[in-house]
């Protein structure tokens, strides 16, 4: 790339939101099958060219701030390495022809020299595919399984195409796959093992392994043949993982399956795994008999690299599928490093910013400090370009100046227990060379910290990270004009303090040791919240005291902290529990903090146990019945001075809201005339604490049966009463009903077509103002007599709707004038100047015009009930004494 184009790219980068993260896998799938490397057969005459090309590739990967290579080491039961079991690959030097160099060995050695991880990429079953130029045979080499173990193979002749795979049902095949991996691990210092998405051949008829399946069922097996096939794959994955964990447990094992698993077309599969369906169609479950979520659920892989080979907004949408995978790995405490193909997606993208946006989607949905992007294939990643502001740039260059601006460490395998392996001593610098005495089997991170920064304020920030070393020395690289920011100029070497940290193979980074600077003072951290034996509220923070630069918090299900729920390093002395895990109520957890001070080995706090009082509704209990319609909902505390919002709905999705209120209390009294009787409701409480949202699980309750009765009219109270245009027809409120219906007509026949039919479902007790009422299309006529009737509906004992009889018709005379009376009296009661006058010791209940109860009690010995405290408005009072009465009054004073 010319310096002119490079300057243009840097200017472009400055206009975008720069983003950096310290923990991220940034990698590429590298395969000879794709023409990446080796890109041709290796023979003696071209060995040096192949070596040179490999080193050139590694330099580009390193300087572009990528950190991982998935190298295709076993393509079709062959080897791009010195295998004890299988022939040299036709993509190395020719099938069975000894290669002049060991491609995997050369790559691992030189990648590690640059701090780059290498994963051996294997196809576990594929033996020969339809595109192989050899036809249907690899020849007579005794290491070819068609010669040594023909009974291991399934050969599917599909028309003019022949597909050949190892039979996944055979124990001998499963063991051979384990043996192949054991051979690699014994000879090569690989950092990981990865499979792609080739398992059973897609579409393989059931007849091709019916013999093995019939033997399985004859021995008592009960799985369907499809489930049996999936279990064969799952069992192989378990065996591989078990071997790796027993031999080199730091070697990461992962799989790159098809991009959609447990999809919308497989809701039962998703439900069985306890996850929501992936937003897409899953072909692999019944096509190649691959169930990736099963591997995550069992914990038999360390990471998943789903092939989300679509762009944002495509019919299979990267923007919805990638977040789904990150939610799934969060649930099962594993990692997701998304794979993306550049074969067509780079060309199809509207702009190169598509890939910036994809990375940001992954980062924003990653809650484990474990994001990652793996690009297929290296040839396209390196060579394909995209026009941007009139310049053609390749993706590594674009990403380096926008999202990969700093080097990144591998995400930590936080579910694996780890202890400090030791200390760094004798650290010194001579010119560009740093040397130290380290710990066997460890890697190291190297930082260049400006001398303007006090080492006490250094927290291993990624902007100071210069490199990774697999040995106890490091050469500070010189600058490279093609990669601004890479290396340090001779004149600037003395402007930095240099620090080295142990960086173990699980990805854990320990204390920083500075060359020529004394260790910092350090003390064991002390845990402050939660304390030992505490019951913590759901919205708590883990907090501790200490004087170190960095801390690692560990939360586990056992006291020796090996059954790990969460483990993360940070500089702060607190972290919100919501960022740690979804804690289960009643479960005992344990936690501790490790202090990492500059120049000092780990110092660990005491271990404290705690339980979490999960945010939940306390009463009524879930699925409670016979609850009052004015039920009191209670919940447990999240913290001090918290606003809680209670929502009650008639559906479990909480879309049909019946009532909501916000309070600082830990309870809410649902007002009368809100809920219907004998009906199921759903409730949840939400709150925000420290900018984090919390919500209880939705719980249900059922109200008690409340039978309605024939309504009682409040206005008009008697036949023939004049009602003005600004008044309404009203009835007494009734609790627990589902519906009130009021009809107004010009005759007692109440013809539906020429009547007003008012239906009220929210405990309303009155019609609109009479001036708004129409009988059919006609408004009410001044001075004319009209008739009214009403009924109510409620939910009966059997759960069906019951409707009362209609009231007896009542007449009124309509007045087109306004002039609602100040009060409507009864013979035994009336309102006067802030007082209801009625019989002595009569029971009085006062409601607002919309039916809310606002006062109740008894009249005094003089027959007076004080309502002076009520605000101005229209009220209805029900009096029960020697005589029952209902009055309406307007309080204006």
């Amino acid at each position: 790339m010319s310096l002119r184009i490079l300057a243009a790219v840097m200017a472009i980068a400055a206009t975008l939101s720069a983003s950096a993260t310290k923990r991220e896998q940034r990698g590429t799938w590298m395969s000879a099958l794709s023409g990446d490397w080796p890109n041709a057969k290796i023979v003696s005459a071209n060995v040096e060219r192949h070596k040179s090309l490999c080193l050139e590739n590694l330099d580009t990967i390193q300087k572009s701030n990528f950190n991982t290579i998935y190298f295709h080491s076993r393509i079709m039961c062959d080897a791009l390495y010195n295998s004890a079991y299988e022939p040299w690959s036709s993509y190395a030097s020719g099938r069975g022809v000894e290669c002049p160099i060991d491609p995997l060995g050369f790559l691992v050695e030189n990648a590690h020299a640059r701090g780059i991880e290498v994963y051996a990429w294997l196809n576990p079953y594929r033996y020969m595919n339809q595109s192989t130029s050899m036809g249907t045979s690899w020849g007579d080499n005794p290491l070819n399984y068609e010669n040594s173990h023909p009974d291991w193979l399934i050969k599917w002749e599909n028309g003019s195409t022949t597909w050949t795979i190892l039979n996944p049902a055979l124990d001998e095949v499963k063991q051979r796959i384990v043996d192949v991996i054991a051979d690699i691990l014994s000879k090569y210092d690989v950092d990981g093992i990865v499979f792609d998405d080739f398992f059973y051949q897609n579409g393989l008829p059931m007849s091709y392994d019916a013999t093995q399946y019939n033997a399985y069922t004859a021995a008592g097996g009960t799985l369907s043949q499809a489930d049996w096939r999936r279990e064969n794959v799952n069992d192989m994955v378990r065996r591989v993982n078990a071997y790796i964990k027993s031999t080199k447990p730091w070697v990461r094992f992962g799989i790159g399956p098809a991009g959609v698993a447990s999809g919308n077309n497989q809701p039962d599969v998703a439900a069985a795994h306890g996850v929501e369906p992936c937003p897409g169609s899953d072909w692999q479950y019944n096509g190649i008999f691959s169930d990736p979520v099963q591997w995550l659920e069992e914990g038999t892989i360390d990471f998943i690299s789903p092939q989300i080979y679509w762009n944002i907004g495509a019919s299979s949408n990267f923007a919805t599928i990638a977040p789904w995978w990150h939610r799934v790995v969060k649930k099962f405490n594993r990692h997701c490093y998304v794979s993306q193909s550049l074969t067509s997606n780079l060309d199809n993208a509207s702009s190169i910013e598509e890939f910036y946006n994809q990375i940001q989607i992954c980062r924003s949905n990653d809650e484990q400090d474990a994001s990652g992007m793996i690009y297929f294939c290296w040839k396209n990643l390196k060579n394909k370009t995209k026009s941007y502001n009139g310049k053609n740039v390749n993706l590594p260059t674009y990403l380096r100046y926008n999202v990969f601006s700093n080097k990144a460490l591998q995400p930590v395998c936080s579910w694996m227990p780890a202890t400090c392996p030791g200390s760094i001593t004798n650290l010194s610098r001579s010119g560009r060379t740093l040397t130290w005495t380290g710990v066997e089997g460890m890697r190291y991170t190297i930082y260049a910290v400006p001398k303007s920064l006090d080492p006490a304020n250094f927290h291993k920030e990624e902007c100071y990270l210069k490199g990774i070393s697999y040995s106890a020395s490091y050469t500070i690289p010189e600058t490279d004009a093609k990669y601004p920011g890479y290396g340090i100029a001779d004149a600037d070497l003395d402007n930095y303090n240099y620090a080295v940290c142990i960086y173990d193979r699980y990805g854990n980074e320990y204390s920083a040791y500075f060359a020529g600077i004394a260790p910092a003072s350090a003390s064991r951290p002390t845990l402050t919240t939660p304390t030992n034996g505490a019951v913590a509220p759901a919205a708590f923070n883990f907090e501790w005291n200490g004087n170190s630069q960095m801390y690692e918090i560990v939360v586990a299900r056992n006291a020796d902290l090996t059954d790990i729920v969460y483990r993360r390093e940070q500089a702060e002395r607190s972290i919100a529990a919501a960022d740690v895990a979804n804690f289960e109520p009643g479960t005992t957890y344990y936690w501790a903090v490790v202090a990492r001070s500059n120049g000092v080995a780990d110092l660990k706090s005491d271990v404290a146990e705690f339980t979490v009082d999960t945010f939940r509704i306390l009463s009524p209990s879930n699925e409670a019945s016979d609850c009052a319609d004015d039920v009191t909902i209670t919940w447990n505390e999240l913290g001090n001075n918290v606003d809680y919002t209670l929502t009650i709905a008639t559906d479990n999705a909480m879309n049909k809201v019946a009532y909501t209120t916000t309070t600082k209390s830990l309870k809410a009294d649902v007002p009368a005339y809100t809920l219907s009787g004998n009906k199921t409701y759903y409730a949840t409480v939400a709150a925000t604490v420290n900018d984090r949202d919390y919500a209880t699980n939705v719980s249900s309750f059922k109200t008690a049966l409340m039978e309605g009765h024939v309504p009682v009219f409040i206005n008009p109270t008697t036949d023939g009463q004049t009602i003005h245009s600004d008044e309404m027809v009203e009835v007494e409120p009734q609790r627990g009903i589902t519906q009130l219906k009021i009809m107004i007509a010009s005759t007692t026949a109440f013809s539906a077509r020429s009547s007003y039919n008012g239906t009220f479902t929210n405990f309303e007790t009155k019609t609109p103002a009479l001036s708004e009422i129409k009988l059919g299309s006609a408004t009410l006529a001044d001075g004319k007599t009209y008739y009214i009737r009403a009924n109510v509906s409620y939910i009966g004992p059997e759960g069906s709707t019951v409707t009362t009889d209609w009231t007896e018709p009542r007449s009124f005379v309509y007045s087109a004038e306004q002039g609602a009376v100040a009060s409507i009296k009864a013979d035994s009661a009336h309102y006067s100047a802030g007082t209801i006058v009625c019989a002595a010791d009569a029971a009085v209940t006062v409601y607002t015009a919309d039916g809310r109860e606002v006062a109740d009690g008894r009249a005094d010995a003089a027959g007076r009930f004080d309502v002076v405290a009520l605000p101005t408005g229209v009220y209805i009072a029900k009096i029960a004494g020697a005589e029952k009465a209902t009055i309406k009054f307007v309080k204006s004073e």
Side-chain angles (χ1 to χ4, degrees):
M1 177 178 291
S2 71
L3 293 182
R4 179 180 299 176
I5 293 177
L6 190 60
V9 173
M10 293 180 66
I12 292 166
T15 67
L16 297 174
S17 173
S19 177
T21 184
K22 184 175 178 178
R23 297 280 184 174
E24 188 168 57
Q25 188 168 106
R26 306 166 181 169
T28 183
W29 297 85
M30 182 181 287
S31 175
L33 183 62
S34 304
D36 298 330
W37 188 84
N39 62 353
K41 286 185 179 180
I42 302 174
V43 297
S44 298
N46 65 13
V47 165
E48 294 308 314
R49 181 181 68 80
H50 277 289
K51 288 182 178 180
S52 177
L53 177 59
C54 180
L55 298 180
E56 177 188 319
N57 290 337
L58 293 174
D59 285 342
T60 301
I61 290 168
Q62 177 198 28
K63 293 178 181 180
S64 298
N65 292 334
F66 281 66
N67 57 19
T68 310
I69 297 169
Y70 294 178
F71 179 66
H72 213 170
S73 307
R74 181 184 191 251
I75 300 173
M76 297 183 195
C77 295
D78 54 9
L80 279 88
Y81 62 94
N82 182 20
S83 172
Y85 298 100
E86 296 172 335
W88 283 99
S89 174
S90 59
Y91 297 97
S93 48
R95 186 90 175 188
V97 177
E98 184 174 355
C99 192
I101 62 170
D102 184 332
L104 177 60
F106 186 80
L107 182 71
V108 168
E109 177 185 355
N110 289 282
H112 283 183
R114 292 159 175 78
I116 300 167
E117 291 198 355
V118 176
Y119 292 17
W121 165 18
L122 289 74
N123 290 110
Y125 301 125
R126 184 171 61 182
Y127 185 74
M128 181 174 288
N129 67 20
Q130 88 287 6
S131 64
T132 304
S133 60
M134 296 289 291
T136 60
S137 172
W138 281 120
D140 59 3
N141 188 305
L143 292 179
N144 289 327
Y145 294 133
E146 61 196 278
N147 304 313
S148 61
H149 298 287
D151 54 316
W152 288 7
L153 299 176
I154 295 177
K155 183 177 290 188
W156 176 26
E157 297 179 355
N158 183 21
S160 61
T161 300
T162 299
W163 304 83
T164 308
I165 62 170
L166 294 175
N167 189 338
L170 300 179
D171 277 341
E172 297 90 338
V173 167
K174 296 173 186 177
Q175 185 58 48
R176 176 51 53 93
I177 295 169
V178 172
D179 291 341
V180 165
I181 290 169
D183 186 39
I184 291 172
L185 295 187
S186 69
K187 296 173 179 175
Y188 303 95
D189 189 21
V190 295
D191 302 277
I193 299 291
V194 63
F195 299 159
D196 59 22
D197 63 336
F198 283 89
F199 296 101
Y200 278 87
Q201 182 58 48
N202 189 22
L204 179 70
M206 292 297 185
S207 59
Y208 277 76
D209 54 359
T211 299
Q212 290 79 30
Y213 177 67
N214 291 336
Y216 160 78
T217 57
T222 59
L223 295 176
S224 68
Q225 190 169 357
D227 286 340
W228 171 77
R229 282 185 172 185
R230 280 184 287 273
E231 178 56 23
N232 290 332
V233 175
N234 296 341
D235 188 45
M236 179 272 292
V237 172
R238 289 186 203 105
R239 296 187 190 198
V240 169
N241 182 67
Y243 179 81
I244 294 172
K245 294 299 181 285
S246 68
T247 308
K248 288 186 174 181
W250 60 85
V251 171
R252 301 182 196 219
F253 175 42
I255 298 178
V260 174
S262 300
N264 287 331
N265 60 325
Q266 300 284 355
D268 293 342
V269 176
H273 293 310
V275 300
E276 62 188 303
C278 182
S281 182
D282 176 4
W283 64 271
Q284 63 182 307
Y285 188 77
N286 288 316
I288 58 176
F289 303 95
S290 165
D291 187 4
V293 182
Q294 182 69 29
W295 313 325
L296 292 168
E297 185 174 1
E298 292 186 17
T300 51
I301 56 175
D302 298 307
F303 68 92
I304 200 93
S305 188
Q307 298 176 22
I308 310 178
Y309 286 0
W310 306 283
N311 286 341
I312 297 167
S315 56
S316 295
N317 191 350
F318 186 100
T320 57
I321 296 173
W324 181 86
W325 279 107
H326 283 92
R327 291 193 296 273
V328 171
V329 295
K330 167 72 171 176
K331 176 180 176 66
F332 297 118
N333 196 21
R334 289 299 185 265
H335 292 165
C336 174
Y337 314 138
V338 171
S339 282
Q340 175 59 282
S341 173
L342 302 179
T343 303
S344 60
N345 285 339
L346 183 62
D347 296 332
N348 292 340
S350 60
S351 77
I352 201 168
E353 286 180 303
E354 166 75 24
F355 301 93
Y356 172 96
N357 293 331
Q358 289 181 10
I359 291 169
Q360 297 297 54
I361 286 172
C362 292
R363 287 180 177 179
S364 64
N365 284 280
D366 163 47
E367 298 182 30
Q368 301 173 282
D369 202 18
S371 184
M373 287 293 296
I374 315 297
Y375 293 98
F376 179 86
C377 58
W378 168 245
K379 176 179 67 178
N380 290 338
L381 178 63
K382 177 184 178 183
N383 297 326
K384 279 198 169 190
T385 61
K386 191 78 173 174
S387 177
Y388 193 79
N389 279 12
K391 305 293 182 181
N392 289 328
V393 297
N394 66 9
L395 195 56
T397 301
Y398 171 81
L399 294 178
R400 186 178 189 274
Y401 293 108
N402 290 280
V403 281
F404 295 169
S405 54
N406 297 295
K407 292 189 177 297
L409 304 184
Q410 295 289 339
V412 177
C413 294
S414 58
W415 53 91
M416 298 292 289
T419 57
C420 180
S423 303
I424 289 172
T425 58
N426 304 318
L427 174 60
S428 64
R429 178 174 73 90
S430 176
R432 288 191 171 273
T433 302
L434 291 166
T435 57
W436 58 89
T437 301
V439 178
E440 185 178 356
M442 293 296 113
R443 301 175 297 182
Y444 307 90
T445 53
I446 294 88
Y447 293 85
V449 183
K451 288 186 174 178
S452 58
L453 178 68
D454 185 343
N457 296 324
F458 169 65
H459 302 294
K460 299 189 289 189
E461 292 88 347
E462 65 270 10
C463 59
Y464 306 127
L465 180 63
K466 285 299 176 183
I468 296 163
S469 176
Y470 279 73
S471 66
S473 66
Y474 180 75
T475 300
I476 302 166
E478 298 182 9
T479 58
D480 186 332
K482 291 176 60 178
Y483 298 92
Y486 176 81
I488 298 175
D490 289 339
D492 294 327
L493 284 173
D494 292 335
N495 294 333
Y496 296 91
N497 289 314
Y498 296 89
V500 177
C501 308
I502 294 174
Y503 176 46
D504 72 18
R505 302 300 287 270
Y506 300 103
N508 299 288
E509 186 185 38
Y510 298 91
S511 296
Y513 293 79
F514 278 91
I517 297 177
S521 61
S523 59
R524 292 178 66 214
T526 56
L527 309 182
T528 58
T529 303
T531 55
N532 192 41
V535 178
F540 74 99
N541 288 343
F542 290 96
E543 298 178 351
W544 58 91
N545 291 326
N547 64 347
S548 297
Q549 283 73 44
M550 300 296 291
Y551 302 91
E552 181 182 74
I553 176 174
V554 183
V555 181
R557 296 182 186 88
N558 57 350
D560 60 2
L561 305 180
T562 56
D563 186 4
I564 296 171
V565 174
Y566 178 90
R567 182 161 59 84
R568 188 81 57 86
E569 187 182 62
Q570 61 181 60
E572 300 78 15
R573 293 194 297 273
S574 70
I575 184 172
D579 284 341
V580 172
N582 294 321
F583 292 104
E584 299 176 359
T587 299
T588 299
Y589 296 92
Y590 302 83
W591 77 294
V593 172
V594 173
R596 290 178 179 152
S597 297
N598 294 339
V600 180
D602 284 4
L603 295 170
K604 182 180 174 183
S605 73
D606 292 333
V607 177
E609 69 175 68
F610 66 97
T611 57
V612 179
D613 191 10
T614 301
F615 187 39
R616 66 194 188 281
I617 289 176
L618 301 177
S619 66
S621 60
N622 189 34
E623 299 183 349
S625 58
D626 290 324
C627 298
D629 66 322
D630 56 351
V631 61
T632 298
I633 311 290
T634 67
W635 52 88
N636 63 331
E637 185 177 10
L638 279 178
N640 297 323
N641 196 34
V642 175
D643 289 325
Y644 300 96
T645 298
L646 165 68
T647 302
I648 298 175
T650 58
D651 66 311
N652 189 50
M654 306 304 293
N655 292 323
K656 301 174 182 178
V657 176
Y659 177 73
T660 185
T661 187
T662 299
T663 177
K664 291 186 181 297
S665 174
L666 297 179
K667 69 172 187 176
D669 299 319
V670 179
Y673 308 103
T674 301
L675 306 182
S676 298
N678 201 27
K679 186 170 184 175
T680 298
Y681 289 91
Y682 301 87
T684 184
V685 180
T688 300
V689 181
N690 296 329
D691 296 325
R692 298 184 181 278
D693 296 329
Y694 297 84
T696 66
N697 288 333
V698 174
S699 65
S700 68
F701 64 91
K702 190 174 185 179
T703 51
L705 174 67
M706 302 185 74
E707 294 185 346
H709 57 77
V710 176
V712 175
F713 282 110
I714 294 175
N715 193 29
T717 56
T718 60
D719 275 322
Q721 180 179 323
T722 298
I723 304 182
H724 297 80
S725 63
D726 56 343
E727 291 187 82
M728 306 89 168
V729 172
E730 292 187 59
V731 299
E732 289 183 355
Q734 291 191 51
R735 294 167 66 164
I737 63 173
T738 57
Q739 177 181 288
L740 164 69
K741 189 168 184 179
I742 297 175
M743 295 187 73
I744 304 175
S746 58
T747 72
T748 57
F750 293 101
S751 168
R753 297 186 64 181
S754 58
S755 299
Y756 166 79
N757 291 275
T759 300
F760 308 96
T761 57
N762 291 312
F763 294 94
E764 302 97 330
T765 60
K766 57 188 176 181
T767 66
L770 293 182
S771 61
E772 301 175 23
I773 298 295
K774 289 186 176 181
L775 309 186
S777 60
T779 58
L780 303 187
D782 185 34
K784 186 172 180 178
T785 297
Y786 293 93
Y787 300 89
I788 58 173
R789 68 176 182 176
N791 66 20
V792 297
S793 299
Y794 61 95
I795 300 174
E798 303 303 320
S800 58
T801 298
V802 177
T803 301
T804 68
D805 293 335
W806 290 102
T807 62
E808 290 296 324
R810 178 166 293 178
S811 66
F812 70 91
V813 177
Y814 176 68
S815 171
E817 296 181 359
Q818 293 188 358
V821 296
S823 64
I824 299 174
K825 302 179 182 179
D827 291 340
S828 59
H830 67 276
Y831 170 77
S832 177
T835 301
I836 295 172
V837 181
C838 57
D841 200 37
V844 181
T845 306
V846 182
Y847 304 90
T848 60
D850 60 0
R852 291 180 296 108
E853 183 179 310
V854 292
D856 68 83
R858 289 188 175 275
D860 61 19
R864 301 176 68 82
F865 183 81
D866 186 3
V867 291
V868 70
L870 293 179
T872 59
V874 179
Y875 296 92
I876 299 160
K878 296 181 70 174
I879 298 98
E883 295 182 33
K884 292 185 178 180
T886 300
I887 66 171
K888 175 184 176 184
F889 64 93
V890 178
K891 186 173 183 297
S892 58
E893 65 280 348

